[in-house]
Amino acid sequence: MIGRLNHVAIAVPDLAAATEQYRGALGADAGAPLSLPDHGVRVVFVTLPNTKIELMEPLGEESPIARFLEASPSGGLHHICYEVADIGAARDRLVETGARVLGDGTPKAGAHGKPVLFLHPKDFSGTLIELEEV
Ligand SMILES: C[C@@H](C(=O)O)C(=O)SCCNC(=O)CCNC(=O)[C@H](O)C(C)(C)COP(=O)(O)OP(=O)(O)OC[C@H]1O[C@@H](n2cnc3c(N)ncnc32)[C@H](O)[C@@H]1OP(=O)(O)O
Ligand SMILES: [Co+2]
C-alpha cells in the first residue's frame, strides 16, 4: 500500500539556523520558509535527488512538536512520510488492523496542499508516520 518516501522530518529549535546549516555546511537545496498554522509548524523543505527533508520549528502555543523539543532541545528525527494513492482507503485499512490514526481521522491539507494523516508512533516501532496522498 505505501509507495515512495516523500520526506523525512527533523524538528529543530531554530529554523533559520538549521536552514543555513543545510545550505552552507551540507550544500543542500533549501527552499523558502512556510508557516503552516493548521499544523502548528513553520517548515523549510530541502530537496535531495531522491527525497526531501522537512525542517520544522514550532509555530503557536499548541504546536504538536513543542513537547518533542522539550524532550530533545537540540532537535531530532520527528517523522517519516510515505506516499499513498488513496488516503481514505489507507486509513480504513489501518483502522481495521487496530492502528491509531491521530486526530479525528479526517485528512488535512499538508505542506504540499495534498491530504495527509498521521499514525501513532507507539503503533509503528516508535516512529511517527505521516501518509500523504499523491
Ligand atoms: C505539515 C506537515 C507535512 O509534512 O505536510 C507536517 O509534517 S506537520 C508535523 C507536525 N504534526 C504532527 O506531528 C501531527 C501528529 N503528531 C501528534 O499528534 C503528536 O505529536 C503525537 C505524536 C501524538 C505526540 O504528541 P505529544 O508529544 O503531545 O505526546 P506525548 O509527549 O504524550 O508522547 C507520547 C509518547 O509518544 C512519543 N513520541 C512523541 N512524539 C514522537 C515522535 N515524533 N516520534 C516518536 N515518538 C514520539 C513520546 O516520547 C511518548 O513516549 P513515552 O510515553 O514512551 O515517553
Ligand atoms: Co511532514
Side-chain angles (χ1 to χ4, degrees):
M1 175 179 73
I2 59 169
R4 284 155 48 101
L5 174 65
N6 186 279
H7 60 267
V8 174
I10 303 175
V12 301
D14 181 337
L15 186 60
T19 302
E20 202 30 59
Q21 192 178 45
Y22 267 74
R23 237 183 230 139
L26 294 176
D29 172 13
L34 188 64
S35 290
L36 301 169
D38 280 0
H39 291 277
V41 291
R42 184 166 164 82
V43 303
V44 163
F45 276 91
V46 175
T47 304
L48 304 181
N50 61 342
T51 190
K52 297 185 280 289
I53 304 298
E54 178 181 32
L55 303 173
M56 329 182 277
E57 74 179 3
L59 178 71
E61 305 285 299
E62 305 280 294
S63 176
I65 69 170
R67 242 195 298 205
F68 183 92
L69 279 169
E70 266 166 40
S72 303
S74 52
L77 284 177
H78 186 265
H79 66 264
I80 51 176
C81 177
Y82 300 123
E83 296 180 0
V84 294
D86 180 337
I87 203 161
R91 175 200 51 214
D92 294 348
R93 171 180 169 147
L94 284 155
V95 168
E96 250 171 55
T97 68
R100 283 169 288 174
V101 177
L102 294 167
D104 67 5
T106 310
K108 281 195 210 172
H112 310 111
K114 310 261 181 68
V116 302
L117 280 175
F118 290 86
L119 309 176
H120 202 289
K122 294 292 178 193
D123 295 341
F124 290 95
S125 312
T127 305
L128 176 60
I129 292 178
E130 177 180 2
L131 298 178
E132 178 171 330
E133 184 174 288
V134 174

